[in-house]
Amino acid sequence: MSRVLIFANPYSGRRDNRKLVEDFERELSERGLQAQAVWGCEDRMAALRDAPDDTRAVVAAGGDGSIGDVINDMHAAGRLGLPFATLPVGTENLFAKEMGFRLKELGALAAAIARGETRAIDLGRLVPDTPDEPGRLFTLMVSAGFDAEVVRRVDAWRVGLGDGSLRRVRRSSYFRPILAAIFRYRYPRIRLVADEQPPIDGSQAYVFNLPQYGGELGIGRYACPDDGRLHWLVFTRPGLPRLLLYHLRCKLGQQKSAPGIVQGYAKRITVQPAGAAEPAPVQADGDPAAFVPLGIALLPGALRVIRV
């Protein structure tokens, strides 16, 4: 029987994830596939290294952060070439929305894994400061600025229990971090350099591999997962009123023509403080990713995603 590895996050979303994974295992079994569910992060690398080459799929049962963790472990274990799918049990599930994975269609997902058809999509990579570090991979996007500050505050709240467990993040969990960022974030200036293009200074930067972004704001609507390039945007002027205006322009699909928004495409991007500005926070796929400066590179066709 072909094996399917399921790496499950018990803290994602608001549902009973263990029951959902059990239901999914039954769907796989009915199609002649042997499921192996792994719940602990510490056991993931061993399971990947021991996985046979004919493993039918690696499935991340969680949200976008869980997907990022699993893909990075696949990369570290040398198993990034295995087919990938997700059981979307997170809060936003942006990757799942883009790739067509639906929680209410467990049977359809199991059938798609049994068929084994895949499509290759690009991945982004945060370029490390030292050459001996692999650099974190991302599927969706990276940003530096206000939204990354909100992500940083949400993550601090989520892990704040102190006993190793995590709070479940819901949409309502963002209310207080957003409010705190509104009053305390100082919009440090950043500088984005895309390939060999002239540098662009601003207060907020986005780099998209997939077009999805939380709240359906449409900021990265012109990104494409398999075109061999990253879509970047810079909001040039600081402050909450400008940020809200820029987001409205993006919601209306006007980011290519709106004053104060500069956008383009590139294969390699650097984001750094502009002048003597303090470092701006960074987030990747909804998880904190330290502060600028950082480099971002493209890995064309690096991930094989199950077609549903």
Side-chain angles (χ1 to χ4, degrees):
M1 298 176 69
S2 295
R3 183 181 301 182
V4 176
L5 285 174
I6 305 172
F7 295 128
N9 184 347
Y11 303 109
S12 289
R14 63 182 185 275
R15 304 171 181 86
D16 183 351
N17 293 351
R18 292 189 182 274
K19 183 180 185 306
L20 287 167
V21 169
E22 290 173 0
D23 292 344
F24 184 50
E25 288 178 297
R26 283 193 291 272
E27 295 285 353
L28 292 169
S29 179
E30 291 175 1
R31 290 161 176 81
L33 299 172
Q34 179 183 9
Q36 177 186 352
V38 178
W39 290 91
C41 298
E42 64 277 2
D43 300 323
R44 206 153 52 205
M45 289 297 290
L48 283 167
R49 291 193 177 106
D50 293 341
D53 292 338
D54 64 348
T55 296
R56 188 58 61 92
V58 173
V59 179
D64 293 307
S66 299
I67 290 172
D69 290 341
V70 170
I71 288 174
N72 277 276
D73 282 349
M74 291 171 65
H75 187 221
R79 310 311 299 271
L80 193 58
L82 293 176
F84 179 80
T86 181
L87 188 62
V89 296
T91 303
E92 288 286 349
N93 303 305
L94 299 175
F95 179 89
K97 289 177 184 177
E98 183 65 24
M99 296 291 119
F101 297 107
R102 296 177 176 83
L103 186 60
K104 295 181 179 180
E105 300 176 4
L106 295 182
L109 176 55
I113 292 173
R115 290 194 302 271
E117 298 176 1
T118 63
R119 63 174 292 194
I121 69 167
D122 306 332
L123 291 175
R125 182 172 71 93
L126 301 182
V127 180
D129 293 332
T130 56
D132 58 336
E133 296 179 11
R136 184 169 178 82
L137 305 181
F138 64 91
T139 61
L140 294 166
M141 54 87 69
V142 169
S143 68
F146 180 89
D147 67 331
E149 173 67 9
V150 173
V151 167
R152 186 188 68 81
R153 291 177 179 273
V154 171
D155 186 71
W157 167 83
R158 189 183 194 196
V159 303
L161 294 173
D163 59 359
S165 61
L166 300 175
R167 292 186 173 100
R168 286 179 179 265
V169 176
R170 299 175 173 85
R171 287 184 175 88
S172 60
S173 305
Y174 285 83
F175 177 75
R176 287 190 177 182
I178 289 174
L179 194 62
I182 286 174
F183 286 105
R184 299 178 184 176
Y185 189 63
R186 295 187 291 182
Y187 299 91
R189 300 290 288 172
I190 57 178
R191 177 168 295 157
L192 183 144
V193 180
D195 289 337
E196 303 301 323
Q197 302 173 43
I200 304 296
D201 287 0
S203 62
Q204 175 81 31
Y206 298 95
V207 178
F208 286 92
N209 181 52
L210 298 182
Q212 294 287 340
Y213 186 79
E216 299 183 355
L217 290 175
I219 301 171
R221 69 175 72 240
Y222 297 110
C224 180
D226 55 6
D227 66 349
R229 56 184 185 170
L230 298 164
H231 182 215
W232 59 266
L233 301 93
V234 174
F235 295 171
T236 59
R237 299 184 64 179
L240 182 62
R242 289 289 177 181
L243 185 67
L244 295 175
L245 176 61
Y246 294 147
H247 282 163
L248 176 61
R249 295 290 195 184
C250 292
K251 180 77 172 179
L252 297 174
Q254 299 173 355
Q255 53 265 62
K256 287 191 173 183
S257 60
I261 300 178
V262 184
Q263 63 87 42
Y265 297 90
K267 294 184 178 181
R268 190 175 182 91
I269 295 167
T270 59
V271 185
Q272 58 197 34
E278 65 183 272
V282 176
Q283 66 91 12
D285 287 355
D287 283 340
F291 294 83
V292 298
L294 79 156
I296 305 168
L298 183 76
L299 301 180
L303 185 66
R304 295 170 57 204
V305 180
I306 292 289
R307 288 185 180 271
V308 291

